[in-house]
Amino acid sequence: MHFMKIVFLALVASPVTLFSAAYGQQDPSAVSRTALPIVITKSVSAKNAHPGDVVYAKTTQASRLPDGTSVPSGSRVFGRVVSTSGSVTGRGDAISQESYLTIRFDFVQIANEKLPLNAHVRAMADPIASEEAQSPAANDIDPKGALTQIGGDQITPSLRDVVDQDGRIVAQNRRHGVYARLLPNSTCSGTDIEVSVGIYSASACGLYGFTGIHAGGIGSPHSHPDLTLSSTEYTPKVWRNTTALLEVVGAQREWQE
């Protein structure tokens, strides 16, 4: 009888109930910040983008919002171009005009509803760095095919524990993906609860790849939500298959343009 009761409960458990296990049954009401790992699905460049253009992305693993709303993997995320200066000018030793691209992520779509996000970019990696983080380097020395997360943490797909470069356990590889308490690093602060990190390390902060590009507005959850990529060498571009870790703050705020 006891066994049958367990089977019954397992069958009727909702996806939300099962998903909450990935967060260790933490009380959603106590959460002020969470994270959404995303991948950009359409390139956007300072060369031809205009303010108001939509930036398209989707989540790469199951996550949740600070109010406890579950965000399934593959949920659509929408941002927009806030401002842009166009292409870099100048050749040789000539002084180049700085080019910049400013974007903001505004909404996540769950079912048929668009929910507003108060989000900033904690970390972003170009397609090459993102692909490398998902490609195991299986060989005679490492037959299990460990992966190196963006930021340096090590994950072995067959093991639960994710470790940093000093061998300390910093994250957990669970059914729905990788979850970690974010660690403070540079302009990024830490969290007291586990959040969804995807292919990113617990301490990931800033740009990865993006040679010659500088980032403004990345890191602190209390900063302005806009991310500005700028350069005097290259025209800033967010390529398709670029990934990012968005940190989402609980309280919604109105920002002046």
Side-chain angles (χ1 to χ4, degrees):
M1 180 65 69
H2 180 67
F3 172 76
M4 294 300 294
K5 182 178 181 181
I6 293 175
V7 172
F8 174 75
L9 291 175
L11 290 175
V12 301
S14 68
V16 173
T17 301
L18 294 173
F19 173 69
S20 66
Y23 287 93
Q25 302 295 338
Q26 295 158 16
D27 180 5
S29 65
V31 177
S32 61
R33 287 189 289 141
T34 59
L36 298 179
I38 65 169
V39 59
I40 305 299
T41 56
K42 184 177 180 180
S43 298
V44 56
S45 172
K47 181 177 181 180
N48 49 26
H50 300 90
D53 287 354
V54 178
V55 178
Y56 297 94
K58 64 180 180 181
T59 58
T60 57
Q61 76 169 44
S63 310
R64 76 175 181 188
L65 301 180
D67 66 0
T69 300
S70 295
V71 182
S73 178
S75 297
R76 301 177 71 186
V77 175
F78 300 91
R80 59 189 166 98
V81 175
V82 176
S83 61
T84 179
S85 69
S87 302
V88 169
T89 60
R91 294 179 179 273
D93 295 329
I95 297 176
S96 297
Q97 175 183 340
E98 182 180 60
S99 177
Y100 64 86
L101 173 68
T102 301
I103 62 176
R104 179 190 303 181
F105 292 95
D106 296 307
F107 298 96
V108 59
Q109 183 171 331
I110 301 176
N112 295 321
E113 184 179 8
K114 277 188 178 181
L115 302 178
L117 292 176
N118 181 15
H120 72 281
V121 177
R122 180 183 178 95
M124 178 177 279
D126 68 13
I128 295 176
S130 299
E131 177 63 26
E132 289 177 347
Q134 301 173 74
S135 303
N139 50 52
D140 293 338
I141 299 176
D142 180 23
K144 294 183 178 181
L147 299 165
T148 300
Q149 302 279 88
I150 295 169
D153 292 347
Q154 299 292 312
I155 177 173
T156 299
S158 60
L159 301 179
R160 184 182 181 88
D161 294 337
V162 179
V163 299
D164 64 14
Q165 297 177 59
D166 295 321
R168 295 172 295 194
I169 299 173
V170 292
Q172 296 290 310
N173 180 21
R174 297 194 173 99
R175 176 184 175 186
H176 294 282
V178 181
Y179 297 85
R181 288 179 173 83
L182 298 177
L183 299 176
N185 182 18
S186 184
T187 58
C188 297
S189 57
T191 60
D192 294 328
I193 66 160
E194 289 184 346
V195 299
S196 181
V197 294
I199 62 174
Y200 283 82
S201 297
S203 60
C205 182
L207 287 184
Y208 297 85
F210 289 95
T211 303
I213 302 295
H214 302 283
I218 203 165
S220 172
H222 304 295
S223 63
H224 196 282
D226 295 350
L227 168 68
T228 298
L229 303 177
S230 62
S231 178
T232 56
E233 302 177 63
Y234 306 98
T235 300
K237 181 176 182 178
V238 179
W239 294 269
R240 180 176 179 269
N241 294 325
T242 291
T243 62
L245 185 62
L246 303 184
E247 199 165 353
V248 185
V249 181
Q252 299 298 319
R253 292 173 294 184
E254 293 294 333
W255 291 93
Q256 299 298 320
E257 298 296 341

